[in-house]
Amino acid sequence: MSDEDMIDSDINMSNQVTTIDSSVLQSRISMSTSLAKENESEEQPVFPKISAMEAGGGRVEYRRVRCPPHRYTPLRENWEQILTPLVEYLKLQVRFNTKTRSVEMKTSTHTIDTGALQKGADFVSAFMLGFEVQDSVALLRLDDLYLESFQVTDVKLLRGDHLSRAVGRIAGQDGKTRFAIENATRTRIVIADTKIHLLGSYANIRVARNAICDLILGAPPGKVYNNMRNVAKRMNERY
């Protein structure tokens, strides 16, 4: 068979019109409409939302957060602000145990969110670490906030005046360095003796932790300020 014959046969095949039987087409349309009606007639099951106590099998869950001695007075002064979101928003039962010096929380029949108890414990723990109530409440509203704590000596083994100077470099004059890191990374920092507590999202905590570690290792504050300025610029461009 020559090439010309093959070309002619291809042209003839391409010119042929494919016909579809109308009865087959009508049956397919009727089948699709019947399936659509069946799907519409089937009602989706609706399950009522269960409470936290029902999800736990009817057991009452407890959390206890100890109050350090230096936080007794702030706790007493801000008790109403701490109690309001725990009771009205998370629907928890809260009390302060004067014998054990701790805040005790438990779920009730009104508690809806299964993670309410853990959120409440994180909120109270953040306040006990030294954060303000307004900053700690963010743990209840946002899901991507975390707490992180570490010692200055975990970064570098320092003693005596060297340790004091490292803490002074982190705080800066009148807290200037700490405020600069907080504003640039959108975190909150608490310096409690040689302990550093950070509150923020995972990525922001990492940036703030790297800056604090640089200060502990002896980096000049001017270099850290420059890095924080670049970080703040990138974050403003991102958001």
Side-chain angles (χ1 to χ4, degrees):
M1 189 175 185
S2 64
D3 295 338
E4 294 180 356
D5 296 336
M6 293 179 64
I7 293 171
D8 293 337
S9 62
D10 292 339
I11 293 173
N12 293 330
M13 290 178 64
S14 62
N15 290 331
Q16 291 178 356
V17 179
T18 56
T19 58
I20 301 176
D21 191 0
S22 59
S23 60
V24 175
L25 183 61
Q26 189 67 28
S27 63
R28 288 181 181 178
I29 292 174
S30 60
M31 287 175 61
S32 62
T33 53
S34 62
L35 288 173
K37 288 181 180 178
E38 288 179 1
N39 292 333
E40 290 177 358
S41 62
E42 291 180 0
E43 295 182 358
Q44 296 294 331
V46 179
F47 299 102
K49 192 172 184 179
I50 62 174
S51 63
M53 185 173 290
E54 292 174 349
R59 297 189 308 271
V60 178
E61 297 184 357
Y62 294 87
R63 289 288 190 281
R64 178 182 294 170
V65 181
R66 292 189 61 84
C67 180
H70 69 281
R71 297 299 288 175
Y72 290 156
T73 302
L75 181 65
R76 185 171 62 251
E77 293 175 352
N78 299 284
W79 177 247
E80 187 175 353
Q81 300 178 31
I82 295 172
L83 196 65
T84 301
L86 292 176
V87 175
E88 295 184 359
Y89 179 65
L90 297 179
K91 309 296 183 184
L92 297 174
Q93 295 182 355
V94 188
R95 72 172 184 177
F96 181 75
N97 193 330
T98 55
K99 292 183 179 180
T100 59
R101 299 292 181 92
S102 60
V103 178
E104 297 178 348
M105 294 166 283
K106 71 174 184 177
T107 57
S108 65
T109 54
H110 303 286
T111 307
I112 299 174
D113 187 6
T114 55
L117 193 61
Q118 186 60 45
K119 286 182 179 179
D122 292 341
F123 164 60
V124 177
S125 299
F127 179 80
M128 297 303 180
L129 291 176
F131 293 98
E132 296 291 335
V133 179
Q134 293 81 2
D135 299 331
S136 303
V137 166
L139 287 167
L140 304 180
R141 298 174 179 169
L142 304 174
D143 293 332
D144 60 341
L145 292 185
Y146 303 95
L147 285 170
E148 184 171 338
S149 303
F150 65 93
Q151 295 264 9
V152 175
T153 53
D154 294 340
V155 181
K156 187 177 183 181
L157 193 60
L158 301 172
R159 294 187 182 88
D161 292 340
H162 297 288
L163 181 59
S164 301
R165 281 194 290 270
V167 175
R169 283 196 300 272
I170 298 170
Q173 185 177 4
D174 299 329
K176 180 182 175 183
T177 306
R178 179 172 69 91
F179 291 144
I181 296 174
E182 285 182 347
N183 294 332
T185 59
R186 298 177 183 177
T187 57
R188 288 293 177 266
I189 302 172
V190 169
I191 304 172
D193 195 16
T194 60
K195 286 185 178 180
I196 311 295
H197 307 295
L198 301 172
L199 170 65
S201 64
Y202 179 79
N204 294 347
I205 284 178
R206 182 181 60 184
V207 176
R209 185 179 63 240
N210 291 340
I212 292 173
C213 291
D214 290 341
L215 290 169
I216 294 172
L217 294 173
K223 184 177 181 181
V224 176
Y225 286 154
N226 191 23
N227 292 337
M228 289 297 99
R229 195 177 298 111
N230 295 334
V231 167
K233 186 177 179 181
R234 286 200 303 270
M235 284 190 173
N236 290 331
E237 291 175 354
R238 184 185 307 171
Y239 298 108

